[in-house]
Amino acid sequence: MASGVAAVWVPVSDMQRAVAFYRDTLGLTVTSESDDWSEIDANGLRIGLNARESASPSSGGGAVVSFQPDGSIEDEVADLRSRGADLQGEISEHPWGKIIPFTDSEGNDLQLYSPPQG
């Protein structure tokens, strides 16, 4: 039925602010940018920023984009905090890995995820 994920998109209310967050705060590459739709490359996964939809960000439920940290999750959390990211709480450890939730500039749910070491 499906052969993979073509894109993940999130609703945004301020495109310039959202692009700046994904580019400057997360350090991802902006591959295209317009007032209605911008695309971010997240290690081969295309993330669309969609200003055309009436769905409001952070309306509860919906997809969560989970990012893989470049280094240790602890180092990346410190870096995100220094860049002003809105991290909720502390890193939590589970048998399936470590996570920390945060939101983008538009209130969409994101997280850093690090698989278990072993």
Side-chain angles (χ1 to χ4, degrees), residues 85-110:
D86 183 19
L87 289 107
Q88 286 102 44
E90 299 297 324
I91 298 167
S92 60
E93 285 196 56
H94 309 274
W96 40 265
K98 297 178 183 178
I99 63 165
I100 185 164
F102 62 105
T103 57
D104 70 7
S105 60
E106 308 305 294
N108 293 298
D109 292 325
L110 307 173

Side-chain angles (χ1 to χ4, degrees), residues 10-28 30 33-38 40 49-51 55-58 83-86 103-108 110:
V10 294
V12 303
S13 55
D14 183 324
M15 184 61 73
Q16 289 181 334
R17 179 178 64 200
V19 166
F21 175 84
Y22 284 86
R23 180 190 61 227
D24 302 337
T25 303
L26 296 182
L28 299 172
V30 177
E33 185 175 351
S34 75
D35 291 339
D36 292 332
W37 178 266
S38 296
I40 310 297
L49 307 178
N50 189 348
S56 65
S58 194
R83 295 173 186 240
D86 183 19
T103 57
D104 70 7
S105 60
E106 308 305 294
N108 293 298
L110 307 173

Side-chain angles (χ1 to χ4, degrees), residues 69-91:
D70 286 334
S72 76
I73 193 169
E74 293 81 6
D75 289 345
E76 295 301 328
V77 164
D79 188 46
L80 283 172
R81 283 199 169 110
S82 75
R83 295 173 186 240
D86 183 19
L87 289 107
Q88 286 102 44
E90 299 297 324
I91 298 167

